[in-house]
Structure formats: C-alpha cells, structure tokens
Amino acid sequence: MSGPAVELRNVSKRFGAGARLVLDRVSFRVEPGETLVLLGSSGAGKTTALRCINRLVEPDEGEVEVEGREIRSWDPIRLRRRTGYVIQDVGLLPHLSVAENVELVPKLEGWSPERRSERMRELLAFVGLEPSRFARKKPRELSGGERQRVGVARALAVDPPLLLMDEPFGALDAVNRRRMQDEFVGMKQKLRKTIVIVTHDVPEAMKLGDRIGVMHGGRLLQIGSSVEILAQPADDFVADLLRLESAPT
Amino acid sequence: METLRFFLERRADIATQTAEHVFLVAVSVGIAVAIGVPLGILLTRRPSLATPVIGFANVTQTIPSLALFGFLIPIPLIGGIGNTTAIVALVLYALLPLLRNTYAGIQSVEPSVVEAGRGMGMTDLERLRLIEIPLSLPTILAGVRIATVNAIGLATIAAAVGAGGLGNSILRGLSMVDSRLILAGAVPAAALALVADGLLGRFERWLAWDR
C-alpha cells in the first residue's frame, strides 16, 4: 500500500455551537505499520482526534482519510469492523463469556463457528491467556489486566489493518501497566499493524510510539520520534510536559 | 371449616372464574408488553418524548380504577359492557411499569459497553439485540412482574363493568352481604397474585446475567 494509512488535514471540531474548539486544525499522517502515540493531558483533544478516525466523531472542518479514501465515503459500519478499537473501560459485554466476546465481530461478519472458535483460541493465546482456562469465564471473573487482554484480543478478531487504542492500559495498576506495555511492544512487532494510541503517560508514549504527537488545548503542538521531541521540544509547553512527567514513575 | 365446605361446593364456579381471571390478565399484560416494551425502547432513542409519554402513563395510574372502567363504558369500539372494556383499562394500568422499566433498564446499560459496541461496528439494531435488550431483560421482566401482580388485583374490579373473573364472586358477595362469597373471590385472587409473583420472580433470577 502506498500513501499514509491515516491522514488528518486541518481537522476542527467543537461540541455544540459557541463551545470551545476541541480540535483546532489538527493535521497528521500515520504511515502503514507505524505506531503513532497521541500524548497530552486530559482535555487536549486526543480522544476526539482518535474517534474521528473511526467516525465515532464527525469533524466540523477538515478532511480525514483512511487508506487514501475520504472518511465520508466509507460506510461507518464497514470502517469500524476493519478497525480494532480498544478503550480504557474495555467495555466487554458482561453477559457474554470471554469466548463470545472475542467471537462477536467474526460472528457479525458471518464466520463459521469452527473458524470463529479457532481464531478465538489463537487470539487468547496471543494475548497470554490460556484458552482452555479463560474461554468460558465471564468478564467479572477476570482481573483488570486479564480484561484488558481480552479487549485487545477482541479488537484483533477479524485481523483489522488498523488498531485504535484509547488509554488502553489506563485502568491498570503501575506494575500491570508496565508489564502490558512490555508485552505490547512484542505484540506490535509480530502484528505489523498501523496503530494509533492515546495516552497521558509520557513514559508509555516513549515506550510504545514510533512517533509521538503532543497535543494540548485541541492543537497538535509537535510530532516526531521520541528522540526528536526530547532533543528539540517545539515550545515550553512540550518541554515542561516531558520534564514534569517523565522524571518519576 | 364451614367456609372451606362452601368453597368445595362452589369449586366449579371458582375454577371457571379463575380461568376467566387468568385470561383477562394474560391478554391485557400481553398487549401491554407488546406496546410498552417497543415504546420504552423508542423513548431511549427519542429522549425528548420520554417525559410526556411516561407522564401520560403516570397520569393513567392516578385515575381510580373504578372510575377508569366507568369512563371507558360510553366510548365506542373499546368501551361498552364486557371483557373489552376491562382489557383496555388493564392495559392502560400495565403500561406504566413496562414503559418505565424498559426505559430505565436500557438507560442503565453501562455506557462503555454501548460505546464498545459502536466502536466494533455494530448497527443500531445489533446493539439493541446483542447488548441493550439482553442487559436490561431482568429490569424489563421486573416490570412485567409488577404489571401482572397489579393486573390480578385490578381485574377483580372489572366485574363491575360486566367482565368475567373472580370479581363476580366478590361483587355478588358484597350485594348479598355474604362474606363467604367475597372470600370465594378474594382468596383465589390473592393466591393467583402470589403464584404469579413467585413464578415470574424465579424466571427473573434465572435470566439475570450478573447472578
């Protein structure tokens, strides 16, 4: 595939007339196979930017392209089924088992039961959950970390080329978060997918991102590799953010 | 002892009236479910309608039941003397718990779960079928249970507009000042309410996904 996997051009969004801009002319590209991290404190607009990519949010101005196609020409349902989406609260369906949760999208896509079940086992093993032990459990029987793993497995179910993750490890305690991050770096190398991650955690951004986009007040202040951003912060805000947040963890 | 013998003597009547009673309640709760559940779901999609519609259902609850039966008699098609009037009134009463519980049940589904469903590319209908309805089913069923138990009690008054059911024994007992006759209607009606409550309660617990 040539060209960027995702591109935002001058995207602006406000929720309600007269409200402040949640996104203010945000532009960035994500290359195929790359992991971009959107970093910023809460209210920076990073989640809104992410949600523009799977049309959970419609921009007021600007263009969004996925795989070179303007987003409005995508059927939102098709687009979302080709896009893995992981959120902080995970949002596993509490009345379904782990297996049923992971098999949900394949089922909607009309996969045969054998194929679904094979895929489910493969994915649970991939995210480090023994299928025979976990498949029949209900979400409430899982720990926070296990739930998050199931969330990742579910997002990967139909092998989407694009993965969007909103504070994926935000609900975990520090120890589990580090462990999931380390594992995720390994997963990412095996998956070779285009990934966009939203986080407020600077070390997490450094660890996971090929490039980092720093956002504040709806604007994208700087985008580049962690080395570039650390060496040459675009302005005082970026410098402060890195200094304040990266020191102690 | 004497009352018991009286009941035994009248067992054929009691059985017929109980059957009529069950019929009245089943038909009216059935119709109320068919209207109230879809309407409750619709209200979650059009929240601006929720206040007026639930308000209307609330108001019908405040009308004294005997008066409501009376009001309905002169209305053509749905009114008159007999089962139809009774069923219309019972449906109106059953509507509120069903509407309210359906609406509240769906509103209380964890937003992150609905959001995840949207993010996964579920259509509105798939979300309703796979997430919102299954998760709110225990609450909806609690509404059915309240509506049913209420209807069993209210249906005894339906005899006043010429409908069948256990109310006929009570009504006749009242006019003849015969307490045994009143009991021949009241005791089976109370038993019916208890049985319905127990069965539906058990079904509700069986359906609960978080048990």
Side-chain angles (χ1 to χ4, degrees):
Chain A
M1 194 178 10
S2 60
V6 176
E7 181 166 15
L8 270 72
R9 279 194 302 270
N10 287 316
V11 170
S12 295
K13 175 76 191 175
R14 63 176 94 229
F15 292 109
R20 72 176 187 88
L21 281 169
V22 183
L23 291 178
D24 187 0
R25 286 160 293 159
V26 170
S27 302
F28 61 78
R29 324 168 105 199
V30 193
E31 302 302 328
E34 174 189 43
T35 300
L36 174 75
V37 175
L38 295 175
L39 173 67
S41 41
S42 55
K46 48 199 196 309
T47 293
T48 309
L50 187 81
R51 289 158 59 92
C52 283
I53 302 172
N54 60 0
R55 279 192 82 174
L56 286 174
V57 169
E58 303 277 352
D60 296 333
E61 279 164 53
E63 286 104 55
V64 182
E65 280 181 11
V66 172
E67 293 171 17
R69 265 175 65 191
E70 162 59 31
I71 198 127
R72 273 176 283 260
S73 72
W74 281 93
D75 166 29
I77 301 302
R78 287 247 54 78
L79 176 71
R80 288 175 200 152
R81 295 228 178 130
R82 303 176 38 96
T83 308
Y85 186 47
V86 182
I87 54 178
Q88 177 175 341
D89 303 324
V90 194
L92 295 180
L93 309 195
H95 57 304
L96 300 183
S97 68
V98 165
E100 289 167 321
N101 265 286
V102 175
E103 291 183 28
L104 202 58
V105 180
K107 197 171 173 183
L108 294 176
E109 291 283 279
W111 291 22
S112 71
E114 298 76 34
R115 188 170 165 218
R116 281 192 327 242
S117 150
E118 197 189 315
R119 179 68 177 155
M120 179 271 296
R121 279 162 203 290
E122 184 184 315
L123 282 166
L124 286 185
F126 180 72
V127 296
L129 299 175
E130 176 58 46
S132 57
R133 255 189 70 206
F134 285 93
R136 275 196 297 274
K137 288 198 177 187
K138 288 285 177 71
R140 68 169 177 283
E141 301 171 74
L142 307 178
S143 70
E146 287 162 353
R147 238 175 267 161
Q148 202 51 261
R149 286 162 200 266
V150 177
V152 173
R154 182 177 66 181
L156 294 171
V158 292
D159 203 15
L162 176 63
L163 199 55
L164 306 178
M165 309 177 93
D166 191 350
E167 299 279 5
F169 313 126
L172 305 181
D173 60 73
V175 175
N176 269 305
R177 189 155 75 209
R178 293 290 167 258
R179 200 166 73 204
M180 283 295 283
Q181 287 165 355
D182 291 336
E183 282 182 34
F184 186 76
V185 172
M187 274 184 217
K188 184 183 109 164
Q189 258 131 31
K190 277 183 246 166
L191 288 169
R192 319 181 72 77
K193 290 189 187 301
T194 310
I195 304 172
V196 183
I197 303 176
V198 158
T199 184
H200 64 274
D201 184 89
V202 176
E204 181 167 286
M206 302 282 176
K207 198 182 252 174
L208 304 182
D210 299 321
R211 284 190 307 144
I212 298 170
V214 182
M215 291 190 69
H216 182 67
R219 291 190 310 124
L220 184 68
L221 301 178
Q222 185 173 11
I223 188 162
S225 70
S226 54
V227 179
E228 285 163 12
I229 291 181
L230 278 172
Q232 289 178 308
D235 59 20
D236 291 349
F237 178 83
V238 177
D240 279 350
L241 181 79
L242 298 180
R243 201 168 39 238
L244 284 175
E245 304 236 355
S246 59
T249 27
Chain B
M1 230 20 239
E2 199 227 340
T3 314
L4 201 65
R5 204 171 309 120
F6 180 78
F7 275 30
L8 277 173
E9 277 165 23
R10 299 194 50 89
R11 62 182 183 275
D13 272 1
I14 293 177
T16 318
Q17 289 183 358
T18 304
E20 286 168 358
H21 208 85
V22 170
F23 170 79
L24 278 179
V25 170
V27 169
S28 44
V29 173
I31 295 173
V33 168
I35 300 171
V37 172
L39 193 58
I41 292 170
L42 184 75
L43 292 185
T44 62
R45 300 316 197 238
R46 303 265 180 285
S48 57
L49 289 179
T51 314
V53 172
I54 292 180
F56 170 76
N58 263 322
V59 168
T60 63
Q61 290 277 295
T62 66
I63 304 172
S65 44
L66 200 53
L68 182 60
F69 285 115
F71 287 144
L72 289 171
I73 291 176
I75 300 176
L77 290 174
I78 59 166
I81 294 287
N83 279 343
T84 320
T85 314
I87 288 171
V88 171
L90 291 175
V91 167
L92 284 174
Y93 278 113
L95 225 39
L96 176 72
L98 287 165
L99 261 180
R100 200 180 40 201
N101 278 40
T102 304
Y103 182 73
I106 290 191
Q107 291 281 302
S108 66
V109 172
E110 194 78 48
S112 69
V113 177
V114 180
E115 169 72 6
R118 248 160 63 83
M120 272 188 278
M122 287 187 176
T123 62
D124 196 42
L125 225 58
E126 285 166 344
R127 260 183 356 253
L128 199 60
R129 186 166 59 86
L130 298 169
I131 302 181
E132 291 169 308
I133 292 180
L135 286 179
S136 50
L137 211 51
T139 315
I140 295 175
L141 208 74
V144 175
R145 186 169 150 207
I146 297 166
T148 307
V149 173
N150 278 346
I152 292 172
L154 282 167
T156 55
I157 298 169
V161 293
L166 293 160
N168 286 293
S169 286
I170 299 177
L171 213 62
R172 226 169 331 131
L174 282 171
S175 58
M176 293 163 66
V177 204
D178 183 344
S179 59
R180 290 176 315 174
L181 208 48
I182 298 177
L183 284 175
V187 172
L192 215 51
L194 286 172
V195 169
D197 191 51
L199 286 180
L200 287 169
R202 190 173 284 190
F203 189 46
E204 206 178 302
R205 278 190 299 280
W206 180 72
L207 271 181
W209 49 268
D210 54 357
R211 92 195 102 115

